[in-house]
Amino acid sequence: MLSELIQESLKQSVHKIVLTLGVPAIAEVNVALEQPASADHGDYSSNIAMQLARPLRKAPLAIAGLIVAELEASGSVHGLVLRTEVAGPGFINMYLDWQAWARAKGNFTLPQHAGGSKVIVEHTSVNPNKSMHIGHLRNSCIGDALVRVLRATGHTVEVHNYVDDLGNQLADTVAGLLNVPLAGEHVRFGDYCWDIYAEINKTYAQQPEMVQKRTGILHALEEGHGNTAWIGTLVAGQIVKEHVEEMRGFGIDYDLLVWESSILKEGFWASAFELLSQTEIFVQETEGKLAGCWILKQPAEDATPDTLEEHQKDKVLVRSNGILTYTAKDIAYHLWKFGLLEKDFSYSEFQSGLWTTGLSGQALPFGRADQVVNVIDYRQEYPQQMVKQALKALGFGAQADALHHVSYGVVSLSPASAAGLGIDTSSGKSSYAMSGRQGIGIKVTELVRLMEDMIESTRSDKNGLSSRLIATAAIRYYLLRFNLGTEIVFDFKQAMEISGNTGVYLMYAYARAQRVLSKAAAAGGGSGVGKSGVSEFGASEFGAGKSGVGESGVGESGAGEFGASDSGVGESGVGEFGASDSGVGESGVGEFGASESGVGESGVGGVPLFPAHLEAAELALLRQLSLWQDTLYTASRELTPNTICNYAYSLASLFSNFYSACPILKGGEVSIAFRLWLTQSFTDTLGEALDVLGLPKPERM
């Protein structure tokens, strides 16, 4: 990774200066590195000299001068830095040799600790009682993007969809099916249950005694025998099939469906109960309003005021009537996720490539994760804390620290979108929340159909991507581009705009670049362009298998085949650091300039000679391209898919500026070859970003 390489060179320079000055050893210094907004201030800049002023007892400007001299003496970061300047009050500004960067960029690797671990990502996990709405879809899109990010950075990822087939929501739907007559036309069973769920909640309000039926059904579901339990199983099974089918339309897949009923039937909770009983925090209350309940006792400093009723309930694991809370089953589930229970599920195939837990089946190597990522909205933060607390109380502190809750804001509808769905907007609110209990919201299938129809009716060229594929991509990107904590107000019109930060804009930018390359190919060899559509100066190598991306750019898992052997990446998807084929040394940094890299006077490894002077738009695009690995790594560490969205939008915008300011196929031979290479580099990089985001890479829109 370029930034890591520069940071390491700065650290080595500082170390040598400390030895030369003979000062006492200083603590490890964090070398901060940033890319200045203006290229006038360098491509990278560091304030390390100012950090060292006190321990070295020298002025920052003097220290900066020593560091620059040491950097230059040691080869200017493997020849990647063209020049280095010192600016007041002690900044070190580094200007890259972009020709050298282009030659070396294929050798840059992610940090060795970036991947290699097994991560379980749990997402979607929608109650199996009705069709999905757009709020559920945000969870699935975030989760799938994180799966792709983690796989792209070398992790082995196992994707879970947790099915709460013992919860209140399913019990309500079953109660409605058994007690509420409902007629009408419904295409899918989940849509019928959508209306049933709303009707039973109206009945509860009108006839409070009906709530007792839910309690009876919950007991029946947990016992797992008799007519009611079988009805619940059939309802949940059909609706989950519909959910899986819907998500497949968005390119979202799972490895394992984990049924809550399996956790009980396989004795997971019994084992977890036995373990928890040996701790001091798991106790049965004998008095007060929680008498008879088994609870996780809170430390005095962390105790939640009784006024926060929802939190009071969350720490109850077993109610006085014997019914388990969601948190209780979640604790047992997470003990299994980390391989901490001496039990396992049996597995059978739910659909091709998708496995499910059950009482019969075969043994498979699911679970036993090094890290766990749960994508659950912000309202579940407290229960997630309870799972962590239980793990720590049981002595599994490392696992508790490896449990990550990816929280996100809910989705509501803009006034225009709500009105278009027939929702009463006379109140004049700025947004309209969805409520399954009231039957208010937009189902995922309805949303896709509406968007598809709007696109189909407005597009003039219908020979590119299908309107449906454009619709799903636009929706997916809209739900990903916001900061995770932001509550999204979804607007149909905004999601489909072809300018601004939208998925449609990114796909247009990619298609535009592909058209340029196709046009260059059609021009033939006269301009130095080969039949592959890319400059014979070597840009074709960036779009073929050697980039680690298959013909479609998407591997069997749905993410880019980052593990192709020609790139020096192993089967696990993690770079084989030190592998000779990639020209990467033991440090994980390419042996830049080695004779095996194919350096020639006219270019290196397929990279054309760069013009003596770069236009501002060319330089800006190069600078953004150089940040891709850092961005991908940051997104994987911080679990923030919107980081990729921000990067991709900036990249597409800079390409648009470059396209407008710099005629790609006009000018001298050097200029054309360079700009074709830059265009190909853009499509390669944006293509990888689109893969990670789960968006198509269209040849034309």
Side-chain angles (χ1 to χ4, degrees):
M1 202 160 70
L2 178 59
S3 63
E4 186 186 38
L5 182 62
I6 295 173
Q7 286 174 316
E8 186 59 33
S9 294
L10 286 170
K11 285 181 182 178
Q12 292 176 5
S13 296
V14 169
H15 178 68
K16 291 179 181 179
I17 290 168
V18 169
L19 291 178
T20 301
L21 295 177
V23 299
I26 60 177
E28 182 73 15
V29 178
N30 178 33
V31 179
L33 202 63
E34 65 176 19
Q35 190 177 64
S38 171
D40 292 339
H41 299 146
D43 298 307
Y44 282 93
S45 181
S46 176
N47 66 352
I48 182 64
M50 288 178 275
Q51 294 181 51
L52 294 171
R54 178 169 294 180
L56 295 186
R57 297 181 180 180
K58 283 183 173 292
L61 284 172
I63 296 171
L66 292 173
I67 293 174
V68 168
E70 187 58 48
L71 276 176
E72 292 175 348
S74 61
S76 296
V77 193
H78 297 271
L80 292 171
V81 175
L82 183 64
R83 74 179 194 278
T84 309
E85 296 178 355
V86 174
F91 287 102
I92 299 173
N93 297 335
M94 290 160 279
Y95 300 80
L96 294 185
D97 182 334
W98 289 106
Q99 179 84 69
W101 169 82
R103 295 168 180 169
K105 74 185 184 82
N107 294 329
F108 295 137
T109 60
L110 293 171
Q112 294 194 39
H113 59 273
S117 62
K118 179 176 181 178
V119 185
I120 288 177
V121 176
E122 178 195 335
H123 69 79
T124 304
S125 303
V126 177
N127 291 310
N129 71 313
K130 57 182 172 59
S131 294
M132 295 176 66
H133 61 61
I134 188 174
H136 301 136
L137 183 58
R138 187 182 190 194
N139 180 304
S140 303
C141 290
I142 292 170
D144 186 65
L146 289 175
V147 168
R148 294 166 181 264
V149 166
L150 291 168
R151 283 178 175 156
T153 50
H155 297 275
T156 298
V157 184
E158 185 175 291
V159 188
H160 290 194
N161 183 349
Y162 183 79
V163 183
D164 183 3
D165 58 335
L166 301 179
N168 286 336
Q169 289 80 5
L170 179 59
D172 287 337
T173 295
V174 172
L177 290 168
L178 295 176
N179 296 281
V180 177
L182 180 69
E185 295 185 4
H186 297 84
V187 175
R188 301 179 309 158
F189 180 61
D191 298 342
Y192 179 76
C193 289
W194 176 287
D195 291 339
I196 278 286
Y197 184 63
E199 288 300 318
I200 190 63
N201 278 282
K202 290 179 184 177
T203 303
Y204 290 155
Q206 297 165 359
Q207 306 173 40
E209 67 276 7
M210 282 286 291
V211 176
Q212 295 303 317
K213 291 189 177 292
R214 174 210 284 164
T215 303
I217 291 171
L218 278 172
H219 276 296
L221 293 176
E222 286 199 359
E223 290 170 1
H225 308 291
N227 295 3
T228 302
W230 278 109
I231 290 172
T233 298
L234 292 171
V235 170
Q238 177 59 31
I239 290 178
V240 168
K241 285 182 181 178
E242 293 177 5
H243 289 174
V244 170
E245 181 182 355
E246 281 181 301
M247 293 303 95
R248 190 167 290 134
F250 284 85
I252 298 171
D253 294 302
Y254 313 93
D255 297 312
L256 181 65
L257 299 175
V258 178
W259 298 77
E260 191 170 282
S261 56
S262 299
I263 290 174
L264 260 65
K265 292 174 182 177
E266 294 284 0
F268 283 24
W269 168 245
S271 296
F273 183 93
E274 184 178 346
L275 291 172
L276 287 167
S277 297
Q278 300 170 28
T279 70
E280 296 181 354
I281 69 166
F282 186 56
V283 298
Q284 187 175 34
E285 293 283 58
T286 57
E287 58 185 11
K289 61 182 180 181
L290 296 181
C293 297
W294 285 89
I295 69 167
L296 278 182
K297 198 171 185 65
Q298 302 301 294
E301 64 273 16
D302 296 334
T304 303
D306 287 347
T307 53
L308 297 179
E309 183 66 20
E310 70 275 17
H311 286 182
Q312 185 69 30
K313 289 179 181 177
D314 284 336
K315 66 181 178 184
V316 174
L317 300 189
V318 186
R319 298 187 179 96
S320 58
N321 61 7
I323 292 178
L324 301 179
T325 62
Y326 177 87
T327 306
K329 290 166 280 193
D330 213 25
I331 290 170
Y333 179 29
H334 281 81
L335 287 169
W336 172 83
K337 281 183 179 180
F338 284 113
L340 302 174
L341 286 181
E342 295 182 0
K343 288 183 176 294
D344 200 358
F345 299 107
S346 294
Y347 305 96
S348 58
E349 204 163 23
F350 186 80
Q351 293 177 357
S352 179
L354 172 60
W355 295 85
T356 181
T357 61
L359 294 177
S360 61
Q362 63 191 80
L364 291 171
F366 286 112
R368 300 187 177 278
D370 300 304
Q371 297 184 66
V372 170
V373 175
N374 294 332
V375 182
I376 311 175
D377 77 49
Y378 74 94
R379 294 169 294 187
Q380 297 300 314
E381 182 176 354
Y382 190 75
Q384 288 291 295
Q385 291 175 359
M386 293 300 96
V387 175
K388 277 180 170 279
Q389 183 192 3
L391 289 172
K392 289 180 179 178
L394 291 169
F396 303 126
Q399 287 80 5
D401 292 339
L403 172 58
H404 309 286
H405 173 206
V406 176
S407 173
Y408 63 92
V410 297
V411 182
S412 58
L413 298 171
S414 70
S417 297
L421 294 171
I423 297 173
D424 181 8
T425 58
S426 59
S427 60
K429 295 179 182 178
S430 59
S431 63
Y432 291 83
M434 289 175 284
S435 171
R437 287 183 173 86
Q438 298 177 47
I440 297 175
I442 179 167
K443 304 179 190 76
V444 171
T445 50
E446 290 179 352
L447 175 64
V448 173
R449 179 180 55 78
L450 285 170
M451 295 277 283
E452 181 182 6
D453 290 347
M454 292 172 69
I455 293 169
E456 187 69 15
S457 65
T458 56
R459 63 187 302 193
S460 55
D461 182 1
K462 300 180 181 181
N463 294 318
L465 290 180
S466 69
S467 295
R468 187 175 188 84
L469 198 54
I470 295 173
T472 55
I475 295 166
R476 181 178 175 121
Y477 186 82
Y478 194 91
L479 295 174
L480 286 173
R481 72 179 180 90
F482 295 94
N483 290 333
L484 290 174
T486 302
E487 295 193 16
I488 295 178
V489 179
F490 190 89
D491 185 87
F492 300 145
K493 186 177 179 181
Q494 287 182 5
M496 294 190 303
E497 289 177 351
I498 61 174
S499 61
N501 192 3
T502 68
V504 176
Y505 177 71
L506 298 189
M507 293 187 291
Y508 263 118
Y510 184 88
R512 169 181 280 181
Q514 289 287 14
R515 285 200 304 273
V516 171
L517 296 174
S518 296
K519 186 176 180 180
S527 61
V529 178
K531 293 180 181 179
S532 65
V534 187
S535 165
E536 289 182 351
F537 286 98
S540 61
E541 294 180 9
F542 290 86
K546 292 185 179 180
S547 68
V549 181
E551 288 183 3
S552 67
V554 181
E556 292 180 1
S557 66
E561 301 260 19
F562 293 90
S565 58
D566 285 348
S567 66
V569 179
E571 292 180 1
S572 66
V574 183
E576 302 272 348
F577 299 98
S580 59
D581 287 348
S582 67
V584 177
E586 293 179 1
S587 65
V589 177
E591 302 288 349
F592 307 119
S595 59
E596 293 177 355
S597 66
V599 179
E601 291 183 3
S602 63
V604 180
V607 179
L609 286 174
F610 283 21
H613 170 74
L614 294 178
E615 299 294 337
E618 295 169 334
L619 178 58
L621 183 55
L622 278 169
R623 280 161 56 91
Q624 184 71 6
L625 288 169
S626 73
L627 294 177
W628 169 235
Q629 270 195 333
D630 290 86
T631 302
L632 183 62
Y633 178 64
T634 298
S636 73
R637 298 282 290 180
E638 298 179 354
L639 300 175
T640 50
N642 59 291
T643 298
I644 305 293
C645 295
N646 294 336
Y647 173 86
Y649 173 56
S650 295
L651 182 66
S653 298
L654 290 170
F655 176 76
S656 179
N657 292 339
F658 159 73
Y659 180 87
S660 299
C662 305
I664 297 172
L665 299 178
K666 295 180 180 179
E669 184 175 322
V670 171
S671 175
I672 292 175
F674 166 68
R675 288 175 178 172
L676 281 172
W677 175 88
L678 192 55
T679 301
Q680 183 65 58
S681 296
F682 164 76
T683 59
D684 292 338
T685 304
L686 182 60
E688 290 185 21
L690 292 174
D691 282 341
V692 169
L693 294 172
L695 270 61
K697 297 182 296 186
E699 296 292 326
R700 61 183 298 178
M701 288 289 286

